Amino acid sequence: MKNDPTGPGAAAALQIRDATPDDLDGLVALETLCFEADRVSRRSFRKLIESTTSNCRVATRAGAIVGYTLLLYRAGTGLARLYSIAVHPGERKSGIGALLVADAERQAFDRDRVVLRLEVREDNQPAVRLYQRLGYRRIGRYLHYYADKTDALRFEKRLRGAEIAATLVPYYEQTADFTCGACCVMMALAHFKPDYRLGPVEEIRIWREATTVFLMSGIGGCDPHGIAVAAAHEGLAAAVHVNREGSLFLDSVRDPEKQRVMALAQEDFRNQAASYAIPILREPLGTDGMRAALATGALIIVLVSAYRMFGKKIPHWILVVGDDGRHFITHDPWVEDRELESHADAASLPIPYAEFERMARYGRDGLRAAIVLTKR
C-alpha cells in the first residue's frame, strides 16, 4: 500500500464520502502530487470507483479533495485490504490520515469483513507509527515490493472477533494458470518438511505428476487422486474425500479423445492411490470433519469453484491451513493481478463457514473433493 498518513490533530470541516467519476481529475492530481512512483492510473481509479469489489473514498474540505483511500474486497471472504491512502501535503499533521483509516475500518466492518490488511514502505516511519498507534499488528514483510525496490511491511487489524493466529504454513503463489493443485501440495510440503524448497521447477514437476492431462479447452488441471499420489510420493500421508466414483471433470471437455485420455490418466491415479494405501472416502468432508482434521494438525486441499471469488466457472484448489471458530483460514495460490491483488489478498484468507460450504463444490452435479494431508 502507498501511504501518506498524518499525525494527530483535528480535521475541521472535513467530509469523507464515496468517490464518483466526477472526482477523477482531483484524484489523479492528488496522486501525482503525493507519489513519484507506483501511482494509481486514471483508468484504474475509474475501474475501482465502479467496481463492486472495491471502495474509493475521498476526504474533501471546501469542495477540494485533500485525501483518499482505496479498499479492495475479495468476494466470498472476510478480508478487506487498504490498497492505497494519500493526504495532500498541505494537510499533513492535521489528523486526516487517522480519520481516513478509521473510515476505512468502518466501511470494511459494514461489509462484514473481519480483518483489514495493508502494506507500508519500511522507510515510512510516520506511517508505521500511525498504524501501530491505531492497533495494527505487523504480520510480515515483502522484499523489494515497491518500484524503487524498497521493502513493504505488512500489517493487519482484526475488526471483529478474536485475532487470527498467525499460521506457520508458508505461502506460495502459482506462476501458471493451471498449477493451483500443485502449489497447494508444495505449501503443505514446506510446512511438514522445513527444508523443502518452493520454486517453479517443483511447481511444474508436481503438476505433471497430478494433472488430468486435459481440462476444458486448455492444459490439464489436477485430479484429487493425482494430488494425493503426488503428496504421498513426496512423503506425506494423504486421504481423499470425493463424493463421486470414477473419472472426474469429463463433462468439462467435448472432444471424445480428450475424454478418453483423461479417463485413462485418472484410472492410473486411482491405481497408484491403491498402491500407496491412500484411503478413498466416498463422502464429502464437511465443516465438522474439516475442523476436526485441522485440530489434529492436518492441512486440507479443497476443490472450490472460482466463481464465487472471481466470477469464473472453473475448478480451483486452495489449501485450508487453520480455523478460528467462524472461518476457515486458507492459502489461495491464485493472486488476481488484474484486480490489483497481492499476497496480502490471498494468504491466510478468512472464509466464513457457510460461504466455504457454498464455494467447496464444482459443476452442475456438485462435485466435492478434498485431500487431507499429514506428516507421515
Side-chain angles (χ1 to χ4, degrees), residues 90-317:
E91 296 279 353
R92 290 171 181 168
K93 297 184 179 181
S94 67
I96 293 179
L99 291 174
L100 281 169
V101 172
D103 176 77
E105 292 172 3
R106 286 192 294 272
Q107 299 299 315
F109 186 91
D110 289 344
R111 291 208 187 192
D112 200 30
R113 303 297 153 139
V114 298
V115 65
L116 180 60
R117 291 184 185 153
L118 58 88
E119 304 92 37
V120 57
R121 290 177 63 97
E122 187 174 32
D123 59 6
N124 190 346
Q125 286 304 304
V128 171
R129 289 193 293 271
L130 172 65
Y131 297 128
Q132 290 173 333
R133 177 167 60 84
L134 295 177
Y136 287 78
R137 67 186 183 102
R138 180 175 159 182
I139 58 171
R141 170 189 274 115
Y142 291 139
L143 300 177
H144 312 307
Y145 183 78
Y146 295 99
D148 62 359
K149 306 302 182 183
T150 299
D151 294 348
L153 300 181
R154 299 173 56 208
F155 285 86
E156 75 173 21
K157 183 175 181 178
R158 185 78 172 189
L159 303 179
R160 46 166 53 88
E163 291 288 346
I164 296 175
T167 179
L168 299 178
V169 181
Y171 177 80
Y172 181 82
E173 176 186 352
Q174 64 189 87
T175 65
D177 291 347
F178 46 84
T179 55
C180 51
C183 293
C184 290
V185 174
M186 292 169 62
M187 289 186 278
L189 285 168
H191 174 64
F192 291 118
K193 296 183 171 184
D195 59 344
Y196 183 82
R197 299 188 64 177
L198 297 162
V201 172
E202 292 76 12
E203 177 183 352
I204 297 302
R205 179 177 57 77
I206 291 178
W207 167 76
R208 289 174 58 216
E209 293 177 357
T211 184
T212 60
V213 183
F214 298 109
L215 185 62
M216 293 179 283
S217 61
I219 297 174
C222 291
D223 167 87
H225 307 89
I227 290 175
V229 168
H233 180 73
E234 296 288 340
L236 298 183
V240 176
H241 291 255
V242 61
N243 66 341
R244 279 180 50 189
E245 294 187 3
S247 298
L248 311 174
F249 306 116
L250 297 188
D251 57 355
S252 297
V253 297
R254 296 180 180 179
D255 187 324
E257 180 63 12
K258 288 186 177 181
Q259 290 184 346
R260 185 183 76 86
V261 174
M262 286 176 65
L264 291 173
Q266 292 186 54
E267 182 179 352
D268 181 47
F269 289 147
R270 293 192 295 274
N271 291 338
Q272 290 186 62
S275 70
Y276 278 107
I278 295 172
I280 308 297
L281 306 170
R282 297 301 180 192
E283 69 272 355
L285 187 63
T287 297
D288 290 343
M290 288 181 59
R291 296 192 67 195
L294 292 166
T296 68
L299 300 179
I300 311 170
I301 301 175
V302 180
L303 176 70
V304 301
S305 171
Y307 183 77
R308 298 193 72 87
M309 283 195 283
F310 304 116
K312 301 174 183 177
K313 294 182 178 180
I314 57 175
H316 184 54
W317 296 100

